Amino acid sequence: MKFLVALAFLAILASLGSALFFMMRGKGDDQARGKRMAWALTARVAFSILLFLCVLLAWKLGYIHPTGLPVTSN
């Protein structure tokens, strides 16, 4: 599970980086550059949703357990 979460975070960062690259690149067709940047940002949203669903599924199947904050009595 840790490997899947780390891989998803790397995919999210890679798509953010590629969107930044397409945004900052000054040469070329603006419309094509905008489409590639929009695709990269769409991929980031898709990876984020996939990560959330995988964590939710892992919780439902019992692979991960919420720990919460420790309760202290005064």
Side-chain angles (χ1 to χ4, degrees):
M1 187 64 194
K2 289 180 185 180
F3 178 73
L4 179 68
V5 170
L7 187 65
F9 275 128
L10 287 176
I12 291 168
L13 288 176
S15 65
L16 273 175
S18 65
L20 177 66
F21 174 75
F22 292 128
M23 183 178 72
M24 298 302 289
R25 208 164 73 176
K27 296 180 182 177
D29 185 21
D30 284 341
Q31 192 171 18
R33 189 177 67 194
K35 284 183 182 181
R36 292 186 78 178
M37 184 180 66
W39 184 88
L41 292 174
T42 302
R44 181 192 61 87
V45 171
F47 288 137
S48 298
I49 291 171
L50 182 65
L51 174 64
F52 176 75
L53 291 176
C54 286
V55 169
L56 185 64
L57 182 67
W59 173 66
K60 285 288 190 183
L61 293 176
Y63 294 135
I64 59 175
H65 302 284
T67 58
L69 296 174
V71 177
T72 59
S73 61
N74 292 332

